[in-house]
């Protein structure tokens, strides 16, 4: 009797949902973009941390590549830096990918040289993107992000990865990166792990100033 009664309350249904997201962003073009009109350019997709979320785009200039751009650093590739409009919500990675696709459709972006990086909450989103879109990125650099260790095997086996984390991080434990790197290496992934002894959550200060990081990115290309 109980089973029959429960079945009468169970229905099958379907509804199409539409999610709208307003993403402000910075888009940087290297100096030779306008000169080489036939050339496709690499692009770095950078995702900021929780402290830069909101509706004030200027906040992005506090850390990472946007800060370096504001200081005049000449990146050798395009840089796309969207802003998460939600102070207390995770990145909507599907909206980020729609933005990336739109930028690629309107500008001369090389689809085989899309680099992905993020710090803190943006580092977590970068891992998420690498898991959910394994065929899109040519290189991944994650700084102090929470890592989806159970889904590590979903990441493209040929994706070069560079991870940075401080051992004294009190916001996102060092073990997040340590365990992810160990899992990836055990499965044969190409992973570089830079450990900052005694450094807290702001390991991005050193990470994005790393000599050779951007040369390493430029050297990567999807088959």
């Amino acid at each position: 009797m109980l089973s029959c009664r429960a079945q009468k309350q169970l229905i099958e249904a379907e509804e199409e949902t539409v999610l709208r997201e307003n993403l402000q962003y910075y888009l940087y073009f290297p100096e030779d973009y306008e000169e080489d009109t036939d050339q496709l350019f690499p692009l770095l997709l950078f995702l900021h941390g929780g402290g830069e979320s909101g509706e004030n785009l200027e906040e992005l200039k506090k850390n990472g590549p946007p800060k370096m751009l504001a200081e005049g650093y000449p990146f050798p590739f395009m840089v796309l830096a969207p802003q998460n409009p939600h102070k207390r919500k995770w990145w909507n990675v599907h909206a980020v990918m729609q933005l990336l696709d739109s930028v690629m459709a309107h500008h001369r972006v090389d689809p085989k040289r899309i680099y992905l990086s993020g710090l803190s909450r943006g580092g977590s989103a970068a891992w998420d993107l690498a898991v959910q879109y394994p065929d899109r990125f040519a290189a991944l650099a994650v700084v102090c992000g929470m890592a989806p260790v159970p889904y590590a095997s979903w990441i493209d086996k040929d994706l070069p990865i560079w991870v940075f984390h401080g051992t004294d991080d009190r916001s996102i434990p060092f073990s997040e990166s340590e365990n992810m790197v160990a899992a990836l290496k055990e499965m044969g992934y190409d992973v570089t792990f830079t450990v900052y002894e005694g450094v807290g959550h702001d390991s991005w200060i050193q990470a994005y100033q790393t000599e050779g990081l951007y040369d390493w990115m430029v050297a990567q290309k999807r088959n």
Side-chain angles (χ1 to χ4, degrees):
M1 292 292 294
L2 287 175
S3 177
C4 293
R5 193 173 301 166
Q7 288 180 15
K8 290 181 179 179
Q9 297 175 2
L10 177 65
I11 65 169
E12 293 185 4
E14 180 177 333
E15 181 172 341
E16 181 181 2
T17 61
V18 178
L19 179 64
R20 298 179 64 88
E21 189 78 274
N22 182 44
L23 293 177
Q24 299 187 83
Y25 62 91
Y26 285 121
L27 182 59
Y28 164 81
F29 297 89
E31 289 185 1
D32 54 347
Y33 182 88
E34 293 299 332
E35 299 172 4
D36 298 332
T37 56
D38 296 327
Q39 181 181 345
L40 296 178
F41 283 77
L43 180 145
L44 168 63
L45 172 60
F46 168 75
L47 304 178
H48 63 75
E52 293 82 63
S53 299
E55 299 179 352
N56 181 4
L57 197 58
E58 286 287 317
E59 291 291 311
L60 267 65
K61 295 179 180 179
K62 289 182 176 179
N63 297 305
K67 181 178 188 294
M68 298 170 68
L69 285 170
E71 294 171 349
Y73 185 86
F75 281 95
F77 38 65
M78 297 172 63
V79 179
L80 173 60
Q83 183 177 37
N84 179 358
H86 308 290
K87 283 287 188 181
R88 295 183 177 272
K89 287 185 180 180
W90 295 110
W91 280 90
N92 180 341
V93 294
H94 304 301
V96 169
M97 290 305 293
Q98 289 183 37
L99 173 61
L100 174 61
D101 288 340
S102 177
V103 168
M104 293 178 65
H106 292 90
H107 303 285
R108 300 194 312 278
V109 179
D110 187 343
K112 295 183 178 181
R113 294 186 292 169
I114 305 297
Y115 315 127
L116 172 62
S117 185
L119 65 87
S120 190
R121 193 188 301 177
S124 306
W127 281 124
D128 195 6
L129 281 167
V131 166
Q132 297 198 52
Y133 300 90
D135 61 342
R136 295 299 302 272
F137 303 104
L140 171 65
V142 179
V143 184
C144 61
M146 288 192 294
V149 177
Y151 303 102
S153 63
W154 293 13
I155 297 174
D156 180 9
K157 195 72 172 286
D158 295 325
L159 179 67
I161 302 171
W162 196 338
V163 180
F164 304 81
H165 215 128
T167 59
D168 287 0
D169 195 326
R170 297 292 181 263
S171 297
I172 297 180
F174 172 73
S175 59
E176 287 286 325
S177 292
E178 185 179 38
N179 293 338
M180 187 66 166
V181 169
L184 289 168
K185 286 187 173 181
E186 186 176 351
M187 291 184 288
Y189 282 75
D190 177 15
V191 187
T192 300
F193 190 21
T194 297
V195 177
Y196 298 116
E197 294 289 344
V199 173
H201 190 49
D202 60 353
S203 55
W204 56 77
I205 296 175
Q206 297 180 60
Y208 287 107
Q209 297 289 338
T210 298
E211 184 177 355
L213 174 60
Y214 306 112
D215 290 338
W216 171 81
M217 287 183 177
V218 168
Q220 313 306 326
K221 186 175 183 178
R222 289 195 62 84
N223 292 329

